[in-house]
Amino acid sequence: MTGLGELEPHMTIKYVYSFAEGDGKNKQLLGGKGANLCDMTQFGLNVPPGFVITTEACLAYLESKTVPAGLMDEVRAHIQKVEGQTGKRFGGSDNPLLVSVRSGSALSMPGMMDTILNLGLNQNTLRGLIRQSGNERFGYDAYRRFIQLFGKVALGVPDRHFDDEFEEVKRRAGVKADIGLDAAHLKGISERFLSIVRHHTGKPFPEDVFEQLEIAVQAVFNSWMGKRAVDYRREFNITPDQANGTAVSIVTMVFGNLSEDSATGVGFTRNPGTGENEMFGEYLVNAQGEDVVAGIRTPKPVQEMKREMPALYDQLLDLRGKLEARYREVQDFEYTIERGTLYCLQTRNGKLNAQAFVRTSVEMFQEGLIDRRRALLRINPAQLEQLLHPQLNPQGRQRPLAQGLPASPGAASGRCVFDADRAELLGKAGEKIILVREETKPEDIHGFFAARGILTSRGGRTSHAAVVARGMGKACVAGAEGIRVDVSSRQAFIGDLALREGDLITIDGSTGNVYLGEIPTLPPKFSEELKTLLSWADEAARLKVMANVDTVEAARLAVEYGAMGIGLCRTERMFNAGDRLPVVIEMILAGDANARRAALSKLLPMQRSDLKQLFEILSPRPVVVRLLDPPMHEFLPSEEQLTSEIEALVQYRSVVKGRYTAVSTLGIASSVNDLSEDSVNAVIAKKQQMLRKVRELYEVNPMLGHRGVRLGISYPEIYEMQVSAILEAAAECRQAGVQAMPEIMVPQVITAQELRRVKASVDNIQAQIESRHGCKLSFKFGSMVETVRACTRAASVAEVAEFFSFGTNDLTQATFSFSREDAENKFLPLYTESGILLNNPFEVLDVEGVGVLMKMAVEYGRTVRPDLEVGICGEHGGHPASIRFCHQIGLDYVSCSAPRIPIARLAAAHARLLEDEGAAA
Amino acid sequence: MTGLGELEPHMTIKYVYSFAEGDGKNKQLLGGKGANLCDMTQFGLNVPPGFVITTEACLAYLESKTVPAGLMDEVRAHIQKVEGQTGKRFGGSDNPLLVSVRSGSALSMPGMMDTILNLGLNQNTLRGLIRQSGNERFGYDAYRRFIQLFGKVALGVPDRHFDDEFEEVKRRAGVKADIGLDAAHLKGISERFLSIVRHHTGKPFPEDVFEQLEIAVQAVFNSWMGKRAVDYRREFNITPDQANGTAVSIVTMVFGNLSEDSATGVGFTRNPGTGENEMFGEYLVNAQGEDVVAGIRTPKPVQEMKREMPALYDQLLDLRGKLEARYREVQDFEYTIERGTLYCLQTRNGKLNAQAFVRTSVEMFQEGLIDRRRALLRINPAQLEQLLHPQLNPQGRQRPLAQGLPASPGAASGRCVFDADRAELLGKAGEKIILVREETKPEDIHGFFAARGILTSRGGRTSHAAVVARGMGKACVAGAEGIRVDVSSRQAFIGDLALREGDLITIDGSTGNVYLGEIPTLPPKFSEELKTLLSWADEAARLKVMANVDTVEAARLAVEYGAMGIGLCRTERMFNAGDRLPVVIEMILAGDANARRAALSKLLPMQRSDLKQLFEILSPRPVVVRLLDPPMHEFLPSEEQLTSEIEALVQYRSVVKGRYTAVSTLGIASSVNDLSEDSVNAVIAKKQQMLRKVRELYEVNPMLGHRGVRLGISYPEIYEMQVSAILEAAAECRQAGVQAMPEIMVPQVITAQELRRVKASVDNIQAQIESRHGCKLSFKFGSMVETVRACTRAASVAEVAEFFSFGTNDLTQATFSFSREDAENKFLPLYTESGILLNNPFEVLDVEGVGVLMKMAVEYGRTVRPDLEVGICGEHGGHPASIRFCHQIGLDYVSCSAPRIPIARLAAAHARLLEDEGAAA
């Protein structure tokens, strides 16, 4: 009963760390930027003095909606320290200390948070700054920037009021660039800005510098819960254990716009678009940092600095070397040169496109900078998709409509949309969109998500549009200055040409060209670096990567992409070809098994020859052939279509022959002269037969109906034909000296009894073919595991099946009791947006539901058959997180569409390399 | 390496046991009849000497298709023993030994196997028999019976050839009953029968008695795999561990047709139709046993024997007492009196109808013959369904068309069908069938399965038709002699009246009356015995039994049947009432949440008042109310209907007013005079609005669509209204002093997040209602578990849900990936008939698939919430085997439709009483 108070002392949490004391590894506490500033300071780079307010302070603020007790006292103490280091004074009129206030969370979210520069300016310190710099124009320029940023970010004044005012002054002064404005102009602008703030907030602009600082810190905190930040976290599934709250970095301002030997720039230690090992970046002389990032002025490539400021360029090269040696990763850094002194303001891992990631991985390994593990792990497998994007077909290329900077490689076609809200709207409606803007800002982020490509008329390769598009792997052409965008009329003008919303254009982010219309594309080619990297991945991985392939073309592509076999060949897709479909329909319409067999005997040689080609292309790799799965009515026209066709034909028959047009639209005969009444009657009879069959086959829930092995058991002759085709093709291959490795797979299995039925027939056919061809056939017989019951009965299923292949599309549907098409059209968007589900389970494997069943099936199956081969052939087989789960539960392979094979190969390596980290997916 | 031969000695299996040595408990080896004969012999009843060939011999025979080595040697040795006991000789000409050859497997399958009598007769022994009995007529009668039975059963000669010949002789002799034929007639018949056999088999009738015996034994063996036996085993799911192979009993013939002090009869120790404690049965003087069973002659009630043969009647009473004391079960026994000596030929547990089972259970307990456990366990719960069959409404009763014996109680209406194959066909097509036959034979069994009732024109209350119908609990009227059946023309004649196939009739198995047309029925009443028995069941059971109820009427019935609450009240069924549906449609058509709320506010008072009534009726028992489940389009007419309605209306509008008929069929207005053009336009507009909505709501797989809690989340105002109705009704009950125990249940849950959403709204509404009514409400909030994901996520679902209720219909669908309606119309019959599935999983809970998920859900759920209440409310909740499984996995209650509650109560007791036996379902 005594001393309880002593057991719970009043803990004072430390909310602020100077750059010299913060732990450079603790991004969760200090944010990425803050930790980085600490790290850079501590390993000896020239960083302007400053300090970091922790994410804990942010969370405490957001919870209580008040600035945590003691925080501002700590801030004051650290300001004092900085005053000591710089000899400046915060709020002082002689040598005033100005600071920047930046946000930064554990994960880099480019542009998500707003930054305030030049904080500490007021009427008093402004005079000091002018006096000290001897540059009135510089002073008012800094002041008007501060008022606008603070007004917008901290006080919520709409940006356009400032912009309009600024443009108006420029217009009146008759100047094009900011640089053309003189001190008087800028002074006038500052005064107008102050009155804009007063007008909008109802209060004068705060003069007290600590009040400014406190308001700014709160604004940064609040931005964590802003719509853009929340959107971004949702889009990328960022959970609190990855990033929770934002830190605030407060850094002494240094000025790139103090003089002509001042400059500001951003750079990458290697080219983020190609991976080339050369410094990459842009700078502006006599300018402040925001001018570069916002793309307001078009900067110069860093290579020009070599000529213009050779000594500083050498310092930059030195900085680049230090950064890569320290971080073993391509760095994206910001710097300012104030009167000849280089300050490093920030560095972070560079967002590279896939090509650059691949090249730098291979080269940094060769340079000894990183090991193979890191070379593989530093690339997000999903990003490889960029490399598999189609490129413009040179033959289809027209004269470009306009040209800009090649800001993010890849080609994209889509309909022009001129603002992010419309882009989001139309994108969700399924349109292919190109977002066309004068320039983009962070508030456009939802438009990026919706668009296939971004085109801007202003800004360089490090402008917001370029950086964000590269991060997302979307094509971007930036700074296409020939284009004038008029958002209000939803048009853009290129010379005399008006582009309206909805017009089709194509952009090529690799060349910067913009074309009218949709240009045909070519499939992408593998680079040598990618081949090298993926061969390392294959060595590292345990999972094999197979392909879902139904055609000869796709099979060739799959082999080129490194497929280790075909994991899913859907035989029914072969049925849909023009010469097969009529025979398939004949089979479906057959009145009895004999008539069905007659039709099937025509399909057999076609299916056999298709399969033989696949076996040849894949030889000696395995080819898993799935027997017929979809319900038979899928091969027939719809009831509506048949009804209206019959109606039209009957009508035709009853009218004069002159009315040709009514019939020609039906595509029954190329020339209506062919149509005798008898032939029309015959067509009507055929259609009526089809209609009766369609009605007979009608199902209330076709996904839950007569399909898969249920068909195979109802009409054994269908599977007999397919098995014959598979085994005969294998026998023919063998006779031709080609090693064929077929695996026969049965869909929709719910019990081992079904498999036993089919197996008996397979054994029978095998014996016949072996005796006919005089050879022994080697193949496997296995089961799709795509019903829940196949999972719970996996032990007995494995008594018959030599392999399992998870059909996670159907399994997901069964687990959730909703079908993909019905869910995605109705309630699923609401479910994922409101967080009821984290992901669309048809895209990201649902580990907690479907995964539980998969794990059960693997365990039960291997109890009975320890060497049971298990794979996955649903769409999830190409999704990295799903692949990781498949690795964890001991699958042997994943199978996915050919273009996703490189992704899957890298993801398989990741899964193995990260397995020690034991993180559950 | 030595002595291996000694380790595997040639085992000689003992295939034959005399009645004195066989183990009376080993039915699996000796068959029910065989074991019974051994048991009766060993406890001192007068059984004719004989022996049993084991089921192992049968299985060995069926496997090798030859009589097992050594079997016939053993048989010869046992025949010698019997010869010693009886002083007769097999094949002897002086005092020939004749035997009967009967089948009998571990489970009683009445009439499934054929019996051969009088085996051992040939030209030689026939002369001896005649000499010895001094009765030529008797000798030839025995001979012709033997030839016919042997010819039919062992040699496969169609029965009708013998019957036709026999009828022809009777016709020519001008006699009606067999008894009218004299020795010469019978001799002639024997000779014709021999030549029929010769003609059909191409060989003379076997004269060697051991050859006869060997052929007969093989015929019995073969009958195990005969269609009828296989059908029966499939219908009743008899597995090899229950009965595998048939034994053969070979018994010395005793003759009830030797003299006028000879007789034969069958009896029950108690009345199998009412349970009354009185001897029940029939006998025929001077007749052989088959005459009684086959119903060929109409026998006398056993009570007449008291007068006719009082000494023998006393012997019979003595036998009855011994049998019940020994078996503690109602016995169905056969006996023969040969020249004044009573022989007991067979006894087995009697097949009683449900009423008799219930009454005898209660009375035998009261008599101290059995304990409560046995009183409960001896009744198959499913049989209670008989007691819940409707009875004819006395007010609707007409003059009967015909009258027969009340052979199996209950009333049934249906369409006449005159042979079993047609009955099966039409029954499967969904018709209600009454099978009408002159008499039935075992080969009609498939017709019984298909029929709702059986009507015969010949035979008594122990005829085949009566016995089988009672076993199945189907209504049966037997021996309605006024009916003449003509199978070939598919008609029956009653006097002048012709009944054609398809005509509706009603039979009352409790009175023996037959009526034309469909007579209205009354719900059955509970007997006092049933109430007693079920109260014992409730004491024995752990599972509670609740009702699936949506109406006030059903709720009252459920309470009467002993429901311990409502386990499922489907609120949407309340929506379908005439005054609600238009408001529901208004709600569905609403353009926004406000318009929806307006419509819902009209539904609220209706739903509240419905629920209040239910709470009152059930008070103080719990009432589980499920929130809206079906997709909204289910409340709208179909697209086709709307389209054609609109078309017709448009057409109407465009024609003259005279054409009233076109419109009046649409039911738009009672008088077409009401229809102004404006009102037609208004109706068209409304229908078009509905049509648009129907199209908007269209789903490819409605079972997998926008329903259940997904609707509740998309349109929160719907669930808000329903929750308000529930809680307001509860508050009103409380104010009226009625204890209401509502439980709110959310359907189609896949994640706890959904429940949290709904729960938040419930909490909110609860607070409002509690403050408005000034009281605290007590209720539970829980989840349907009917998706697979709810099972795998049961732990997190249980964090929010206070109870689970398994919806095993949906869960079965999800587990099998086929929907009930599509499967049952397409492939499911093939699956169950061919043994791919043992049962229709929508009828019998699939323990190996669905059961695995249920078990998982219970375990996971109780990990988080140890007192989690778990029930089942799918149709399986009323199925005994499923109830047993529910007990085994620890459920708290089952909920089923009101008429199944008594069955469920008894099944729940069985589950508990049998749990020590540990047999997995």
Short mmCIF file of all heavy atoms in Angstrom, two decimals, chain B residues 505-535:
data_model
loop_
_atom_site.label_atom_id
_atom_site.label_comp_id
_atom_site.label_asym_id
_atom_site.label_seq_id
_atom_site.Cartn_x
_atom_site.Cartn_y
_atom_site.Cartn_z
N ILE B 505 -55.98 -40.26 -55.72
CA ILE B 505 -56.74 -40.96 -54.69
C ILE B 505 -56.09 -40.67 -53.34
O ILE B 505 -54.97 -40.16 -53.26
CB ILE B 505 -56.81 -42.49 -54.90
CG1 ILE B 505 -55.38 -43.09 -54.89
CG2 ILE B 505 -57.52 -42.85 -56.19
CD1 ILE B 505 -55.40 -44.61 -54.86
N THR B 506 -56.82 -40.98 -52.28
CA THR B 506 -56.31 -40.84 -50.93
C THR B 506 -56.52 -42.15 -50.20
O THR B 506 -57.61 -42.75 -50.33
CB THR B 506 -57.05 -39.70 -50.19
OG1 THR B 506 -56.83 -38.48 -50.90
CG2 THR B 506 -56.56 -39.56 -48.76
N ILE B 507 -55.52 -42.63 -49.49
CA ILE B 507 -55.72 -43.84 -48.69
C ILE B 507 -55.49 -43.48 -47.23
O ILE B 507 -54.69 -42.59 -46.92
CB ILE B 507 -54.77 -44.99 -49.11
CG1 ILE B 507 -53.31 -44.60 -48.89
CG2 ILE B 507 -55.01 -45.39 -50.55
CD1 ILE B 507 -52.34 -45.74 -49.16
N ASP B 508 -56.24 -44.16 -46.36
CA ASP B 508 -56.08 -43.94 -44.93
C ASP B 508 -55.66 -45.26 -44.31
O ASP B 508 -56.47 -46.16 -44.10
CB ASP B 508 -57.39 -43.44 -44.32
CG ASP B 508 -57.22 -43.09 -42.85
OD1 ASP B 508 -56.18 -43.50 -42.26
OD2 ASP B 508 -58.10 -42.43 -42.29
N GLY B 509 -54.39 -45.37 -44.04
CA GLY B 509 -53.83 -46.62 -43.52
C GLY B 509 -54.27 -46.91 -42.10
O GLY B 509 -54.01 -47.99 -41.59
N SER B 510 -54.90 -45.94 -41.46
CA SER B 510 -55.37 -46.17 -40.09
C SER B 510 -56.77 -46.80 -40.08
O SER B 510 -57.18 -47.40 -39.09
CB SER B 510 -55.41 -44.86 -39.32
OG SER B 510 -54.20 -44.16 -39.50
N THR B 511 -57.52 -46.63 -41.18
CA THR B 511 -58.88 -47.17 -41.24
C THR B 511 -59.05 -48.17 -42.37
O THR B 511 -59.99 -48.97 -42.35
CB THR B 511 -59.90 -46.04 -41.50
OG1 THR B 511 -59.58 -45.44 -42.77
CG2 THR B 511 -59.85 -44.97 -40.42
N GLY B 512 -58.17 -48.14 -43.34
CA GLY B 512 -58.32 -49.02 -44.49
C GLY B 512 -59.17 -48.43 -45.59
O GLY B 512 -59.41 -49.06 -46.61
N ASN B 513 -59.60 -47.17 -45.41
CA ASN B 513 -60.45 -46.56 -46.44
C ASN B 513 -59.64 -46.00 -47.60
O ASN B 513 -58.52 -45.53 -47.44
CB ASN B 513 -61.27 -45.43 -45.83
CG ASN B 513 -62.39 -45.98 -44.96
OD1 ASN B 513 -62.86 -47.10 -45.17
ND2 ASN B 513 -62.81 -45.19 -43.98
N VAL B 514 -60.29 -46.07 -48.78
CA VAL B 514 -59.70 -45.52 -49.99
C VAL B 514 -60.68 -44.51 -50.57
O VAL B 514 -61.87 -44.78 -50.65
CB VAL B 514 -59.44 -46.63 -51.04
CG1 VAL B 514 -58.83 -46.07 -52.30
CG2 VAL B 514 -58.58 -47.74 -50.44
N TYR B 515 -60.21 -43.31 -50.89
CA TYR B 515 -61.08 -42.24 -51.38
C TYR B 515 -60.63 -41.76 -52.75
O TYR B 515 -59.44 -41.84 -53.09
CB TYR B 515 -61.04 -41.04 -50.42
CG TYR B 515 -61.40 -41.38 -49.00
CD1 TYR B 515 -60.41 -41.75 -48.10
CD2 TYR B 515 -62.72 -41.30 -48.56
CE1 TYR B 515 -60.71 -42.07 -46.79
CE2 TYR B 515 -63.04 -41.62 -47.24
CZ TYR B 515 -62.03 -41.99 -46.36
OH TYR B 515 -62.35 -42.29 -45.07
N LEU B 516 -61.57 -41.21 -53.48
CA LEU B 516 -61.23 -40.59 -54.75
C LEU B 516 -60.83 -39.15 -54.47
O LEU B 516 -61.44 -38.47 -53.64
CB LEU B 516 -62.45 -40.62 -55.68
CG LEU B 516 -62.18 -40.33 -57.16
CD1 LEU B 516 -61.22 -41.36 -57.74
CD2 LEU B 516 -63.48 -40.33 -57.95
N GLY B 517 -59.79 -38.70 -55.15
CA GLY B 517 -59.37 -37.30 -55.00
C GLY B 517 -58.45 -37.11 -53.80
O GLY B 517 -58.04 -38.07 -53.14
N GLU B 518 -58.14 -35.85 -53.55
CA GLU B 518 -57.22 -35.52 -52.47
C GLU B 518 -58.05 -35.00 -51.29
O GLU B 518 -58.74 -34.00 -51.42
CB GLU B 518 -56.22 -34.46 -52.94
CG GLU B 518 -55.07 -34.25 -51.98
CD GLU B 518 -53.91 -33.50 -52.62
OE1 GLU B 518 -53.99 -33.16 -53.82
OE2 GLU B 518 -52.92 -33.26 -51.90
N ILE B 519 -57.98 -35.68 -50.16
CA ILE B 519 -58.78 -35.30 -49.00
C ILE B 519 -57.95 -34.39 -48.11
O ILE B 519 -56.78 -34.66 -47.88
CB ILE B 519 -59.15 -36.55 -48.17
CG1 ILE B 519 -59.70 -37.65 -49.07
CG2 ILE B 519 -60.11 -36.18 -47.03
CD1 ILE B 519 -61.13 -37.51 -49.42
N PRO B 520 -58.55 -33.32 -47.60
CA PRO B 520 -57.78 -32.44 -46.71
C PRO B 520 -57.36 -33.18 -45.44
O PRO B 520 -58.02 -34.13 -45.01
CB PRO B 520 -58.73 -31.29 -46.38
CG PRO B 520 -60.05 -31.65 -46.97
CD PRO B 520 -59.91 -32.84 -47.84
N THR B 521 -56.27 -32.72 -44.86
CA THR B 521 -55.73 -33.41 -43.70
C THR B 521 -55.61 -32.47 -42.51
O THR B 521 -55.64 -31.26 -42.65
CB THR B 521 -54.33 -33.97 -44.02
OG1 THR B 521 -53.55 -32.89 -44.51
CG2 THR B 521 -54.39 -35.07 -45.04
N LEU B 522 -55.47 -33.08 -41.35
CA LEU B 522 -55.28 -32.32 -40.11
C LEU B 522 -53.90 -32.63 -39.57
O LEU B 522 -53.42 -33.74 -39.72
CB LEU B 522 -56.30 -32.80 -39.06
CG LEU B 522 -57.68 -32.18 -39.10
CD1 LEU B 522 -58.47 -32.69 -37.90
CD2 LEU B 522 -57.58 -30.66 -39.07
N PRO B 523 -53.29 -31.67 -38.92
CA PRO B 523 -51.98 -31.99 -38.33
C PRO B 523 -52.17 -33.02 -37.23
O PRO B 523 -53.19 -33.06 -36.56
CB PRO B 523 -51.50 -30.65 -37.77
CG PRO B 523 -52.70 -29.81 -37.66
CD PRO B 523 -53.68 -30.28 -38.69
N PRO B 524 -51.16 -33.84 -37.05
CA PRO B 524 -51.26 -34.92 -36.08
C PRO B 524 -51.21 -34.41 -34.65
O PRO B 524 -50.73 -33.32 -34.38
CB PRO B 524 -50.01 -35.75 -36.37
CG PRO B 524 -49.05 -34.77 -36.94
CD PRO B 524 -49.87 -33.78 -37.71
N LYS B 525 -51.71 -35.21 -33.74
CA LYS B 525 -51.70 -34.86 -32.30
C LYS B 525 -50.65 -35.71 -31.61
O LYS B 525 -50.41 -36.85 -31.98
CB LYS B 525 -53.08 -35.18 -31.69
CG LYS B 525 -54.09 -34.07 -31.91
CD LYS B 525 -54.06 -33.10 -30.73
CE LYS B 525 -54.94 -31.88 -31.01
NZ LYS B 525 -54.46 -30.68 -30.36
N PHE B 526 -50.09 -35.15 -30.59
CA PHE B 526 -49.13 -35.88 -29.77
C PHE B 526 -49.86 -36.84 -28.84
O PHE B 526 -50.80 -36.44 -28.15
CB PHE B 526 -48.39 -34.88 -28.88
CG PHE B 526 -47.07 -34.51 -29.42
CD1 PHE B 526 -46.87 -34.44 -30.79
CD2 PHE B 526 -46.02 -34.24 -28.56
CE1 PHE B 526 -45.63 -34.09 -31.29
CE2 PHE B 526 -44.80 -33.89 -29.06
CZ PHE B 526 -44.58 -33.81 -30.42
N SER B 527 -49.40 -38.07 -28.80
CA SER B 527 -49.97 -39.00 -27.82
C SER B 527 -49.30 -38.76 -26.47
O SER B 527 -48.21 -38.20 -26.39
CB SER B 527 -49.73 -40.44 -28.26
OG SER B 527 -48.34 -40.74 -28.17
N GLU B 528 -49.98 -39.22 -25.41
CA GLU B 528 -49.40 -39.09 -24.07
C GLU B 528 -48.10 -39.87 -23.97
O GLU B 528 -47.14 -39.44 -23.35
CB GLU B 528 -50.40 -39.58 -23.00
CG GLU B 528 -51.48 -38.56 -22.67
CD GLU B 528 -50.93 -37.18 -22.36
OE1 GLU B 528 -49.99 -37.05 -21.53
OE2 GLU B 528 -51.42 -36.19 -22.97
N GLU B 529 -48.10 -41.07 -24.62
CA GLU B 529 -46.87 -41.88 -24.58
C GLU B 529 -45.71 -41.12 -25.23
O GLU B 529 -44.59 -41.15 -24.73
CB GLU B 529 -47.05 -43.22 -25.32
CG GLU B 529 -47.88 -44.24 -24.58
CD GLU B 529 -49.34 -44.20 -24.99
OE1 GLU B 529 -49.74 -43.27 -25.72
OE2 GLU B 529 -50.10 -45.10 -24.57
N LEU B 530 -46.01 -40.46 -26.35
CA LEU B 530 -44.93 -39.74 -27.03
C LEU B 530 -44.42 -38.62 -26.15
O LEU B 530 -43.21 -38.38 -26.04
CB LEU B 530 -45.43 -39.21 -28.38
CG LEU B 530 -44.38 -38.46 -29.20
CD1 LEU B 530 -43.14 -39.31 -29.43
CD2 LEU B 530 -44.95 -38.02 -30.55
N LYS B 531 -45.34 -37.93 -25.48
CA LYS B 531 -44.92 -36.85 -24.59
C LYS B 531 -44.01 -37.39 -23.49
O LYS B 531 -42.97 -36.81 -23.17
CB LYS B 531 -46.14 -36.15 -23.97
CG LYS B 531 -46.79 -35.20 -24.95
CD LYS B 531 -47.92 -34.41 -24.30
CE LYS B 531 -48.68 -33.65 -25.39
NZ LYS B 531 -50.05 -33.33 -24.97
N THR B 532 -44.41 -38.54 -22.93
CA THR B 532 -43.60 -39.16 -21.89
C THR B 532 -42.22 -39.50 -22.42
O THR B 532 -41.19 -39.16 -21.84
CB THR B 532 -44.29 -40.46 -21.40
OG1 THR B 532 -45.60 -40.12 -20.97
CG2 THR B 532 -43.50 -41.12 -20.29
N LEU B 533 -42.22 -40.17 -23.56
CA LEU B 533 -40.95 -40.61 -24.13
C LEU B 533 -40.04 -39.42 -24.41
O LEU B 533 -38.84 -39.44 -24.11
CB LEU B 533 -41.22 -41.39 -25.42
CG LEU B 533 -39.98 -42.07 -25.98
CD1 LEU B 533 -39.78 -43.43 -25.31
CD2 LEU B 533 -40.09 -42.26 -27.49
N LEU B 534 -40.62 -38.36 -24.99
CA LEU B 534 -39.78 -37.22 -25.35
C LEU B 534 -39.30 -36.47 -24.11
O LEU B 534 -38.22 -35.88 -24.12
CB LEU B 534 -40.53 -36.29 -26.31
CG LEU B 534 -40.72 -36.89 -27.71
CD1 LEU B 534 -41.50 -35.92 -28.59
CD2 LEU B 534 -39.39 -37.23 -28.37
N SER B 535 -40.08 -36.55 -23.03
CA SER B 535 -39.59 -35.91 -21.81
C SER B 535 -38.39 -36.69 -21.28
O SER B 535 -37.43 -36.11 -20.78
CB SER B 535 -40.70 -35.81 -20.76
OG SER B 535 -40.98 -37.09 -20.24
#
